[in-house]
Amino acid sequence: MKLQRMNRRAVALGALAASGALVLTACGSDDTGSDSGSSSSASSTAAAGSIKCDDAKGQLLSDGSSAQKNAIDAWVAQFTKACGVQINYKAGGSGAGVTSFTQGQLAFAGSDSALKPEEVTASKKVCSGGQGIDLPMVGGPIAIGYNVSGVDNLVLDAPTLAKIFDSKITKWNDAAIKKLNPDAKLPDLKIQAFHRSDESGTTDNFTKYLKAATPDNWKYEGGKAWQAKGGQAAAQSSGVAAQVKQTNGAIGYFELSYVADGVKAVSIDTGASAPVAASSESATKAIADAKVVGTGSDLSLQLNYNTKADGAYPITLVTYEIVCDKGNKADTLPGTKAFLTYIASEEGQAVLPNLGYAPIPDDIIAKVRTTISGLS
């Protein structure tokens, strides 16, 4: 178990370093935007693999899920290199992304939660003759990151997590935590639980898990805004991860790609034969159990947060790219279609595991590709 955890931390560290390098590459391309805008040649496309630029040009504005930021950064670097299109993804959170999309400010948005009916209605005002749809693109575990000196392996279950994040369990040596970790040296230390301050699909998915797995201990309605009492707040996944890293006794929730030096990830006791660690593989097992519940071109999924299958990590999210099925702006449609086509391709999805994410299962991503080809 300890070796596996060290390997996951090494992968996460490498992913973050690689992502940072890719961001710098993307910024370098942006600095030469006027030159690269005319460089969507066969040679530049070949240099970046099989990315097809088609008529992509100019700039794309996007905002939304910070959960997928590291994936978007990596994709943008390669796409910009191939096609010269500048993509500005703000990663301001799922709530901000959906709001800006329905106000007509973005080419596409990213959200860890599917559009609500009222958001679909609002999107019809900016999608001429169409509406906003959900395209599942990035999967991955929501890691429960912690920082407790001397505790390298930690197992928690849904009831214990619910009580920790609802300020019902306040010390690391609480009897419930001891029972799950009989061999750990748990300190008499205050638990400092961090949650998101901004509206977040990560929060939505984490609380959906708590509601499904331990309804008696999590009575809140749920949604993108944090509702439980107590705890401390930080903006975006990066902010929560940073607070956990610098605070002994801290715990928080964020994507596996944010687990780095100084932060360890909890294994979850689901009732399966063994506790399940957060990984791309364990998340893919959980996502494979999802059902497409969207209608028409919409491909929103229903995840099974209460899975007890061996090796399936239950606290899993899927990030959607939100775009108009019809009525996209003519000046950004070619770039949007080309970018989404790339990230949904085998080459684009292959980027995800090395960044701590999980590719979308084959049967679902095949539907995504077909839907993208029909965007207008």
Side-chain angles (χ1 to χ4, degrees):
M1 178 70 75
K2 185 171 182 179
L3 179 58
Q4 291 174 344
R5 189 174 303 282
M6 289 174 66
N7 288 339
R8 289 199 309 275
R9 290 172 63 194
V11 168
L13 282 167
L16 290 172
S19 178
L22 290 169
V23 174
L24 291 175
T25 302
C27 291
S29 299
D30 289 353
D31 289 341
T32 56
S34 59
D35 295 331
S36 61
S38 61
S39 64
S40 301
S41 62
S43 60
S44 67
T45 302
S50 59
I51 298 175
K52 296 180 180 179
C53 302
D54 294 327
D55 297 321
K57 59 183 178 180
Q59 240 182 45
L60 298 179
L61 298 180
S62 186
D63 192 6
S65 165
S66 64
Q68 68 171 358
K69 182 182 185 300
N70 293 334
I72 291 287
D73 285 346
W75 282 331
V76 165
Q78 293 305 308
F79 186 75
T80 299
K81 180 180 179 181
C83 303
V85 175
Q86 299 176 36
I87 300 177
N88 180 7
Y89 185 76
K90 292 176 61 178
S94 297
V98 171
T99 297
S100 294
F101 177 79
T102 57
Q103 292 174 347
Q105 299 173 8
L106 308 175
F108 68 94
S111 177
D112 307 325
S113 299
L115 291 169
K116 297 177 181 178
E118 60 269 25
E119 293 168 340
V120 173
T121 299
S123 73
K124 293 179 179 180
K125 297 178 182 179
V126 298
C127 301
S128 179
Q131 66 182 45
I133 57 172
D134 303 286
L135 301 177
M137 202 69 73
V138 181
I142 300 174
I144 307 301
Y146 72 98
N147 176 7
V148 180
S149 295
V151 181
D152 293 326
N153 297 290
L154 186 68
V155 175
L156 296 174
D157 59 11
T160 308
L161 277 171
K163 292 173 185 176
I164 287 173
F165 280 93
D166 198 23
S167 302
K168 301 290 178 59
I169 291 178
T170 59
K171 289 290 189 72
W172 279 109
N173 61 350
D174 186 273
I177 303 177
K178 283 184 175 181
K179 184 176 179 180
L180 291 164
N181 301 272
D183 298 326
K185 295 181 179 180
L186 297 166
D188 182 12
L189 178 67
K190 180 182 177 181
I191 295 174
Q192 300 197 53
F194 286 88
H195 58 263
R196 290 280 290 270
S197 60
D198 53 320
E199 289 199 357
S200 162
T202 311
T203 294
D204 191 19
N205 283 275
F206 177 47
T207 55
K208 280 179 179 176
Y209 159 72
L210 294 175
K211 286 178 64 179
T214 184
D216 291 342
N217 293 297
W218 195 260
K219 302 291 189 179
Y220 301 98
E221 181 180 345
K224 294 177 182 177
W226 185 258
Q227 297 171 342
K229 304 296 187 295
Q232 301 181 61
Q236 304 177 6
S237 292
S238 57
V240 175
Q243 289 298 321
V244 172
K245 181 177 180 178
Q246 69 186 26
T247 307
N248 186 30
I251 188 169
Y253 58 92
F254 36 78
E255 294 65 45
L256 183 61
S257 57
Y258 288 96
V259 175
D261 189 34
V263 178
K264 307 173 185 70
V266 169
S267 292
I268 304 298
D269 183 345
T270 64
S273 62
V276 185
S279 70
S280 296
E281 295 78 11
S282 62
T284 296
K285 285 187 177 181
I287 296 170
D289 196 28
K291 297 178 181 179
V292 176
V293 294
T295 58
S297 299
D298 187 85
L299 295 174
S300 57
L301 303 176
Q302 183 178 62
L303 298 172
N304 181 8
Y305 296 100
N306 204 23
T307 181
K308 291 178 173 57
D310 284 347
Y313 185 80
I315 319 176
T316 301
L317 62 75
V318 169
T319 295
Y320 301 95
E321 310 313 326
I322 296 170
V323 67
C324 297
D325 57 354
K326 299 177 182 178
N328 291 280
K329 294 179 181 178
D331 59 338
T332 58
L333 176 61
T336 299
K337 286 185 71 170
F339 181 66
L340 295 179
T341 296
Y342 160 56
I343 67 178
S345 69
E346 289 186 14
E347 181 182 357
Q349 290 288 296
V351 169
L352 296 176
N354 287 336
L355 295 174
Y357 298 106
I360 301 300
D362 290 344
D363 58 337
I364 299 174
I365 202 66
K367 295 176 183 178
V368 172
R369 292 167 186 154
T370 299
T371 301
I372 293 169
S373 67
L375 297 178
S376 61

